[in-house]
mmCIF file of all heavy atoms in Angstrom:
data_model
loop_
_atom_site.group_PDB
_atom_site.id
_atom_site.type_symbol
_atom_site.label_atom_id
_atom_site.label_comp_id
_atom_site.label_asym_id
_atom_site.label_seq_id
_atom_site.Cartn_x
_atom_site.Cartn_y
_atom_site.Cartn_z
ATOM 1 N N THR A 1311 -134.444 60.136 -127.711
ATOM 2 C CA THR A 1311 -133.364 59.553 -128.503
ATOM 3 C C THR A 1311 -132.247 59.111 -127.574
ATOM 4 O O THR A 1311 -132.423 59.067 -126.353
ATOM 5 C CB THR A 1311 -132.881 60.522 -129.593
ATOM 6 O OG1 THR A 1311 -131.979 59.841 -130.473
ATOM 7 C CG2 THR A 1311 -132.196 61.742 -129.003
ATOM 8 N N THR A 1312 -131.103 58.768 -128.137
ATOM 9 C CA THR A 1312 -130.019 58.163 -127.373
ATOM 10 C C THR A 1312 -128.824 59.106 -127.266
ATOM 11 O O THR A 1312 -128.702 60.064 -128.037
ATOM 12 C CB THR A 1312 -129.600 56.842 -128.041
ATOM 13 O OG1 THR A 1312 -129.378 57.057 -129.436
ATOM 14 C CG2 THR A 1312 -130.691 55.808 -127.866
ATOM 15 N N PRO A 1313 -127.909 58.845 -126.331
ATOM 16 C CA PRO A 1313 -126.796 59.784 -126.109
ATOM 17 C C PRO A 1313 -125.864 59.942 -127.300
ATOM 18 O O PRO A 1313 -125.202 60.970 -127.436
ATOM 19 C CB PRO A 1313 -126.048 59.163 -124.921
ATOM 20 C CG PRO A 1313 -127.042 58.320 -124.233
ATOM 21 C CD PRO A 1313 -127.928 57.779 -125.311
ATOM 22 N N ASN A 1314 -125.796 58.936 -128.169
ATOM 23 C CA ASN A 1314 -124.907 59.023 -129.322
ATOM 24 C C ASN A 1314 -125.542 59.738 -130.509
ATOM 25 O O ASN A 1314 -124.933 59.848 -131.569
ATOM 26 C CB ASN A 1314 -124.476 57.626 -129.764
ATOM 27 C CG ASN A 1314 -125.649 56.749 -130.171
ATOM 28 O OD1 ASN A 1314 -126.714 56.817 -129.573
ATOM 29 N ND2 ASN A 1314 -125.452 55.914 -131.173
ATOM 30 N N ALA A 1315 -126.773 60.213 -130.344
ATOM 31 C CA ALA A 1315 -127.451 60.911 -131.433
ATOM 32 C C ALA A 1315 -126.987 62.363 -131.512
ATOM 33 O O ALA A 1315 -126.667 62.999 -130.515
ATOM 34 C CB ALA A 1315 -128.962 60.848 -131.236
ATOM 35 N N SER A 1316 -127.011 62.886 -132.718
ATOM 36 C CA SER A 1316 -126.426 64.188 -133.037
ATOM 37 C C SER A 1316 -127.163 65.364 -132.411
ATOM 38 O O SER A 1316 -128.377 65.329 -132.198
ATOM 39 C CB SER A 1316 -126.418 64.353 -134.560
ATOM 40 O OG SER A 1316 -126.121 65.669 -134.917
ATOM 41 N N GLY A 1317 -126.399 66.448 -132.196
ATOM 42 C CA GLY A 1317 -126.996 67.703 -131.764
ATOM 43 C C GLY A 1317 -127.887 68.329 -132.811
ATOM 44 O O GLY A 1317 -128.690 69.210 -132.498
ATOM 45 N N ARG A 1318 -127.780 67.873 -134.064
ATOM 46 C CA ARG A 1318 -128.660 68.398 -135.112
ATOM 47 C C ARG A 1318 -130.126 68.072 -134.788
ATOM 48 O O ARG A 1318 -131.028 68.798 -135.196
ATOM 49 C CB ARG A 1318 -128.264 67.826 -136.475
ATOM 50 C CG ARG A 1318 -128.496 66.350 -136.659
ATOM 51 C CD ARG A 1318 -127.870 65.794 -137.938
ATOM 52 N NE ARG A 1318 -126.419 65.745 -137.846
ATOM 53 C CZ ARG A 1318 -125.631 65.188 -138.762
ATOM 54 N NH1 ARG A 1318 -126.172 64.647 -139.853
ATOM 55 N NH2 ARG A 1318 -124.327 65.163 -138.623
ATOM 56 N N ILE A 1319 -130.339 67.003 -134.053
ATOM 57 C CA ILE A 1319 -131.700 66.644 -133.654
ATOM 58 C C ILE A 1319 -132.222 67.657 -132.659
ATOM 59 O O ILE A 1319 -133.349 68.160 -132.789
ATOM 60 C CB ILE A 1319 -131.708 65.220 -133.064
ATOM 61 C CG1 ILE A 1319 -131.243 64.224 -134.127
ATOM 62 C CG2 ILE A 1319 -133.084 64.849 -132.534
ATOM 63 C CD1 ILE A 1319 -130.697 62.945 -133.575
ATOM 64 N N ASP A 1320 -131.424 67.987 -131.656
ATOM 65 C CA ASP A 1320 -131.827 68.994 -130.670
ATOM 66 C C ASP A 1320 -132.136 70.330 -131.341
ATOM 67 O O ASP A 1320 -133.114 70.997 -130.997
ATOM 68 C CB ASP A 1320 -130.712 69.193 -129.642
ATOM 69 C CG ASP A 1320 -130.330 67.915 -128.936
ATOM 70 O OD1 ASP A 1320 -129.709 67.051 -129.586
ATOM 71 O OD2 ASP A 1320 -130.630 67.767 -127.745
ATOM 72 N N GLU A 1321 -131.301 70.705 -132.302
ATOM 73 C CA GLU A 1321 -131.495 71.987 -132.981
ATOM 74 C C GLU A 1321 -132.829 72.040 -133.714
ATOM 75 O O GLU A 1321 -133.582 73.011 -133.597
ATOM 76 C CB GLU A 1321 -130.349 72.225 -133.974
ATOM 77 C CG GLU A 1321 -129.008 72.489 -133.320
ATOM 78 C CD GLU A 1321 -127.877 72.613 -134.337
ATOM 79 O OE1 GLU A 1321 -128.044 72.156 -135.491
ATOM 80 O OE2 GLU A 1321 -126.837 73.172 -133.979
ATOM 81 N N ARG A 1322 -133.150 70.996 -134.461
ATOM 82 C CA ARG A 1322 -134.386 71.021 -135.248
ATOM 83 C C ARG A 1322 -135.622 70.854 -134.366
ATOM 84 O O ARG A 1322 -136.667 71.446 -134.633
ATOM 85 C CB ARG A 1322 -134.366 69.925 -136.316
ATOM 86 C CG ARG A 1322 -133.260 70.057 -137.357
ATOM 87 C CD ARG A 1322 -132.996 71.466 -137.827
ATOM 88 N NE ARG A 1322 -134.201 72.176 -138.255
ATOM 89 C CZ ARG A 1322 -134.312 73.486 -138.326
ATOM 90 N NH1 ARG A 1322 -133.303 74.269 -137.936
ATOM 91 N NH2 ARG A 1322 -135.428 74.040 -138.751
ATOM 92 N N VAL A 1323 -135.514 70.046 -133.319
ATOM 93 C CA VAL A 1323 -136.651 69.881 -132.412
ATOM 94 C C VAL A 1323 -136.923 71.181 -131.668
ATOM 95 O O VAL A 1323 -138.080 71.600 -131.527
ATOM 96 C CB VAL A 1323 -136.390 68.717 -131.431
ATOM 97 C CG1 VAL A 1323 -137.414 68.712 -130.301
ATOM 98 C CG2 VAL A 1323 -136.419 67.396 -132.174
ATOM 99 N N ALA A 1324 -135.863 71.850 -131.211
ATOM 100 C CA ALA A 1324 -136.048 73.132 -130.526
ATOM 101 C C ALA A 1324 -136.647 74.170 -131.464
ATOM 102 O O ALA A 1324 -137.522 74.955 -131.069
ATOM 103 C CB ALA A 1324 -134.715 73.626 -129.967
ATOM 104 N N ALA A 1325 -136.193 74.185 -132.717
ATOM 105 C CA ALA A 1325 -136.735 75.143 -133.684
ATOM 106 C C ALA A 1325 -138.224 74.923 -133.919
ATOM 107 O O ALA A 1325 -138.957 75.865 -134.232
ATOM 108 C CB ALA A 1325 -135.975 75.026 -135.004
ATOM 109 N N ALA A 1326 -138.667 73.680 -133.763
ATOM 110 C CA ALA A 1326 -140.081 73.362 -133.980
ATOM 111 C C ALA A 1326 -140.917 73.536 -132.721
ATOM 112 O O ALA A 1326 -142.145 73.376 -132.769
ATOM 113 C CB ALA A 1326 -140.212 71.929 -134.489
ATOM 114 N N GLY A 1327 -140.259 73.830 -131.591
ATOM 115 C CA GLY A 1327 -140.999 74.069 -130.361
ATOM 116 C C GLY A 1327 -141.091 72.883 -129.426
ATOM 117 O O GLY A 1327 -141.925 72.877 -128.511
ATOM 118 N N GLY A 1328 -140.215 71.881 -129.609
ATOM 119 C CA GLY A 1328 -140.234 70.718 -128.737
ATOM 120 C C GLY A 1328 -138.951 70.601 -127.941
ATOM 121 O O GLY A 1328 -138.113 71.493 -127.932
ATOM 122 N N ARG A 1329 -138.804 69.467 -127.262
ATOM 123 C CA ARG A 1329 -137.583 69.211 -126.498
ATOM 124 C C ARG A 1329 -137.176 67.757 -126.660
ATOM 125 O O ARG A 1329 -137.988 66.899 -127.024
ATOM 126 C CB ARG A 1329 -137.772 69.551 -125.018
ATOM 127 C CG ARG A 1329 -138.850 68.763 -124.306
ATOM 128 C CD ARG A 1329 -139.070 69.284 -122.888
ATOM 129 N NE ARG A 1329 -140.152 68.597 -122.207
ATOM 130 C CZ ARG A 1329 -140.010 67.511 -121.461
ATOM 131 N NH1 ARG A 1329 -138.795 66.970 -121.320
ATOM 132 N NH2 ARG A 1329 -141.044 66.929 -120.874
ATOM 133 N N VAL A 1330 -135.883 67.502 -126.387
ATOM 134 C CA VAL A 1330 -135.304 66.170 -126.550
ATOM 135 C C VAL A 1330 -134.971 65.601 -125.181
ATOM 136 O O VAL A 1330 -134.435 66.297 -124.314
ATOM 137 C CB VAL A 1330 -134.032 66.239 -127.416
ATOM 138 C CG1 VAL A 1330 -133.296 64.901 -127.411
ATOM 139 C CG2 VAL A 1330 -134.381 66.644 -128.843
ATOM 140 N N GLU A 1331 -135.293 64.339 -124.985
ATOM 141 C CA GLU A 1331 -134.836 63.593 -123.818
ATOM 142 C C GLU A 1331 -134.064 62.381 -124.299
ATOM 143 O O GLU A 1331 -134.441 61.743 -125.276
ATOM 144 C CB GLU A 1331 -136.009 63.164 -122.938
ATOM 145 C CG GLU A 1331 -136.691 64.327 -122.231
ATOM 146 C CD GLU A 1331 -137.602 63.875 -121.100
ATOM 147 O OE1 GLU A 1331 -137.609 62.654 -120.796
ATOM 148 O OE2 GLU A 1331 -138.291 64.735 -120.522
ATOM 149 N N ARG A 1332 -132.963 62.075 -123.603
ATOM 150 C CA ARG A 1332 -132.111 60.962 -124.017
ATOM 151 C C ARG A 1332 -132.200 59.802 -123.032
ATOM 152 O O ARG A 1332 -132.390 59.994 -121.844
ATOM 153 C CB ARG A 1332 -130.665 61.428 -124.166
ATOM 154 C CG ARG A 1332 -130.432 62.211 -125.457
ATOM 155 C CD ARG A 1332 -128.979 62.641 -125.621
ATOM 156 N NE ARG A 1332 -128.716 63.007 -127.000
ATOM 157 C CZ ARG A 1332 -129.058 64.150 -127.560
ATOM 158 N NH1 ARG A 1332 -129.678 65.064 -126.839
ATOM 159 N NH2 ARG A 1332 -128.801 64.389 -128.834
ATOM 160 N N VAL A 1333 -132.031 58.588 -123.586
ATOM 161 C CA VAL A 1333 -132.078 57.368 -122.807
ATOM 162 C C VAL A 1333 -130.996 56.442 -123.334
ATOM 163 O O VAL A 1333 -130.552 56.585 -124.479
ATOM 164 C CB VAL A 1333 -133.480 56.717 -122.895
ATOM 165 C CG1 VAL A 1333 -133.738 56.214 -124.306
ATOM 166 C CG2 VAL A 1333 -133.656 55.600 -121.871
ATOM 167 N N ALA A 1334 -130.548 55.498 -122.518
ATOM 168 C CA ALA A 1334 -129.464 54.603 -122.921
ATOM 169 C C ALA A 1334 -129.809 53.837 -124.185
ATOM 170 O O ALA A 1334 -130.972 53.523 -124.455
ATOM 171 C CB ALA A 1334 -129.149 53.625 -121.791
ATOM 172 N N LEU A 1335 -128.776 53.518 -124.968
ATOM 173 C CA LEU A 1335 -128.951 52.731 -126.186
ATOM 174 C C LEU A 1335 -129.682 51.425 -125.875
ATOM 175 O O LEU A 1335 -129.366 50.725 -124.917
ATOM 176 C CB LEU A 1335 -127.586 52.404 -126.788
ATOM 177 C CG LEU A 1335 -126.964 53.454 -127.708
ATOM 178 C CD1 LEU A 1335 -125.504 53.122 -127.952
ATOM 179 C CD2 LEU A 1335 -127.723 53.529 -129.020
ATOM 180 N N GLY A 1336 -130.668 51.106 -126.711
ATOM 181 C CA GLY A 1336 -131.424 49.883 -126.524
ATOM 182 C C GLY A 1336 -132.599 50.006 -125.580
ATOM 183 O O GLY A 1336 -133.306 49.021 -125.348
ATOM 184 N N TYR A 1337 -132.841 51.202 -125.044
ATOM 185 C CA TYR A 1337 -133.900 51.368 -124.047
ATOM 186 C C TYR A 1337 -134.883 52.473 -124.444
ATOM 187 O O TYR A 1337 -135.382 53.213 -123.600
ATOM 188 C CB TYR A 1337 -133.293 51.662 -122.667
ATOM 189 C CG TYR A 1337 -132.572 50.476 -122.097
ATOM 190 C CD1 TYR A 1337 -131.210 50.292 -122.336
ATOM 191 C CD2 TYR A 1337 -133.243 49.508 -121.366
ATOM 192 C CE1 TYR A 1337 -130.538 49.198 -121.840
ATOM 193 C CE2 TYR A 1337 -132.583 48.407 -120.851
ATOM 194 C CZ TYR A 1337 -131.227 48.254 -121.094
ATOM 195 O OH TYR A 1337 -130.566 47.155 -120.608
ATOM 196 N N LEU A 1338 -135.168 52.562 -125.737
ATOM 197 C CA LEU A 1338 -136.109 53.582 -126.194
ATOM 198 C C LEU A 1338 -137.458 53.465 -125.499
ATOM 199 O O LEU A 1338 -138.070 54.474 -125.127
ATOM 200 C CB LEU A 1338 -136.315 53.471 -127.710
ATOM 201 C CG LEU A 1338 -135.250 54.061 -128.629
ATOM 202 C CD1 LEU A 1338 -135.668 53.856 -130.073
ATOM 203 C CD2 LEU A 1338 -135.031 55.543 -128.338
#
Side-chain angles (χ1 to χ4, degrees):
T1311 189
T1312 50
N1314 60 323
S1316 168
R1318 68 190 71 173
I1319 299 157
D1320 303 71
E1321 291 176 341
R1322 298 320 309 159
V1323 168
R1329 61 187 177 91
V1330 171
E1331 291 195 6
R1332 283 182 163 78
V1333 67
L1335 275 167
Y1337 291 91
L1338 281 181

